[in-house]
Structure formats: structure tokens, C-alpha cells
Amino acid sequence: MDKKEKALKAVMLLEKEYPEAICSLVYTDPLQLLIATRLAAQCTDKRVNMVTPALFERFPSVQDFAEADVGEVEELIKSCGLYKTKARDIVAMCRTLCEEYSGRVPDTVEELIRLQGVGRKTANLVVGDIYGKPAVVVDTHCIRITGRLGLHASKDAVRIESILRELLPPEKSNDFCHRLVLHGRAVCDARKPKCAECCMHDICSYYQDMEKNA
């Protein structure tokens, strides 16, 4: 089985295991997803979802965020960690959106990564979930699980994104990444993966190596 065949098999197995492939961040519009994803850096989605209702009630529009006092944003997002940097980035990105994009969240990765604090992971999530374009969200779960499967031997997120774009069907790639997050949380733990329970162990290089060395 080559890497392309393995990737297609992984897509099929995860679709069966996790029929619902949805982002766990709660949002109602593109700006809210953009901000929630920025807040999620080194923070759990659960914590972000506890913080954003009050944040979005206080600042309901991109213009409100652009005119916000950074200190007030800091106080509202404090429990998310790295709150000073995140608050500064959120206000700055919203100013850029107002000044350069008429308040609209761009629909390409290239434009999104020009915004303050926005990396390729965040950009791909917005492009895939909001605009329905092919996207590969390379987070820690994606890096770990696709590496264990044997789809790559890299730790570089940009390189992994490029590899997976070649291996995955474009129309399946975004949901595949959402399912990797669910699988990483439930089964493929970083320290103690539950390989016996894994729907993909038959195609997993990590599992096969463990079996050989047992």
C-alpha cells in the first residue's frame, strides 16, 4: 500500500468512526471563528468556548474590535493564556480588516496569513470551514497521527500541509483534519495511544513497528 492509498483508507476509516466532522469552536460568523482560533493557540477549545460569549457580546462587530481598548480585551480573554499577545493581535487584525478589506474576512490562505497573529493553521481552518475550499489544518493532532500512520516523517507544519495536499482528496481534506482532532483526543494520545482500540491500526506504521518489537 503506497502513501496515497493509505491516506484514502484513513479517510474512509475515520469517516466511519466519526460521522460528524465539525469544529469544536463555537462561532456564528467568519470573524468569530478567526478570533476563536487565535485564542485557541496553546489553549483548549473548551476554555475558548467559555470565554468567547462575553467577548463577542462586548464587541459584536469587526469595527468594535478595531476600536477596542487592548486592556479591556485582555481582561475578557485572560484565562486563555498568552492573553496580552492575543489581545494585541485581535485588535490589530480587526483594524487591518477594516482598513484593507472593508471589514470582511478574506477567503484565501495567502491573504489571511497577512493578518496579525494568523498562521497557516488558522487560515486553513477559516478557508475550509467558512468558505468551503480545500484546506489542510495542520495542528498537533494532525502532525502526530499522520506521522504515526507513515504518511510523512516531518515535524514541519508547512511541509506536512504540502504533503497532505498531494495525498488527500481536496473535497475530503478539511473534514479529515477535523476527524484527526477527534481521534487524537479519544484514541491516539501523544503519550499513551490506545492502539488496540484504533480503527486505523491495520494501516498504521507506528502500530506495526510496535507489534514487531513486542
Side-chain angles (χ1 to χ4, degrees):
M1 181 181 295
D2 64 23
K3 290 182 179 180
K4 187 125 187 165
E5 291 171 330
K6 182 179 285 193
L8 291 173
K9 183 70 172 177
V11 167
M12 182 188 73
L13 290 169
L14 288 177
E15 283 179 344
K16 184 176 180 181
E17 191 76 5
Y18 307 98
E20 297 293 327
I22 57 174
C23 177
S24 55
L25 293 168
V26 177
Y27 64 93
T28 59
D29 59 47
L31 179 67
Q32 288 190 2
L33 178 59
L34 182 63
I35 291 172
T37 308
R38 179 66 189 97
L39 291 174
Q42 299 184 43
C43 179
T44 65
D45 290 356
K46 182 179 180 180
R47 168 57 58 183
V48 172
N49 289 338
M50 293 170 64
V51 166
T52 50
L55 179 68
F56 295 148
E57 182 178 5
R58 175 65 184 88
F59 304 106
S61 73
V62 65
Q63 190 68 45
D64 291 321
F65 272 109
E67 297 173 355
D69 175 76
V70 173
E72 186 177 359
V73 177
E74 287 178 1
E75 287 301 312
L76 287 165
I77 67 171
K78 208 165 190 175
S79 64
C80 287
L82 303 175
Y83 65 94
K84 288 184 178 294
T85 300
K86 291 177 181 179
R88 185 181 67 238
D89 286 345
I90 288 168
V91 172
M93 77 166 67
C94 288
R95 287 175 180 166
T96 300
L97 289 173
C98 289
E99 293 167 2
E100 299 184 23
Y101 295 97
S102 301
R104 180 179 179 274
V105 175
D107 63 355
T108 68
V109 170
E110 292 70 28
E111 288 179 299
L112 283 162
I113 60 175
R114 293 183 60 243
L115 300 174
Q116 292 81 347
V118 177
R120 295 191 67 84
K121 181 181 78 171
T122 297
N124 271 285
L125 182 62
V126 171
V127 165
D129 277 29
I130 297 297
Y131 296 110
K133 296 183 177 183
V136 177
V137 181
V138 181
D139 64 359
T140 56
H141 296 292
C142 178
I143 293 170
R144 179 176 71 257
I145 299 172
T146 55
R148 284 176 173 173
L149 285 172
L151 298 180
H152 62 81
S154 179
K155 297 296 183 184
D156 180 77
V158 177
R159 174 65 180 149
I160 293 168
E161 180 188 332
S162 177
I163 291 169
L164 294 180
R165 283 186 183 276
E166 291 295 320
L167 296 176
L168 296 168
E171 72 279 6
K172 302 276 191 178
S173 59
N174 193 49
D175 285 348
F176 176 75
C177 293
H178 282 316
R179 292 185 173 103
L180 289 178
V181 173
L182 298 175
H183 192 65
R185 290 172 178 166
V187 178
C188 196
D189 184 77
R191 294 183 179 179
K192 293 184 178 180
K194 303 171 186 174
C195 295
E197 301 175 21
C198 180
C199 63
M200 298 187 291
H201 67 242
D202 285 344
I203 62 169
C204 179
S205 296
Y206 175 86
Y207 176 74
Q208 291 164 3
D209 288 343
M210 291 284 287
E211 286 289 285
K212 287 178 185 177
N213 298 325

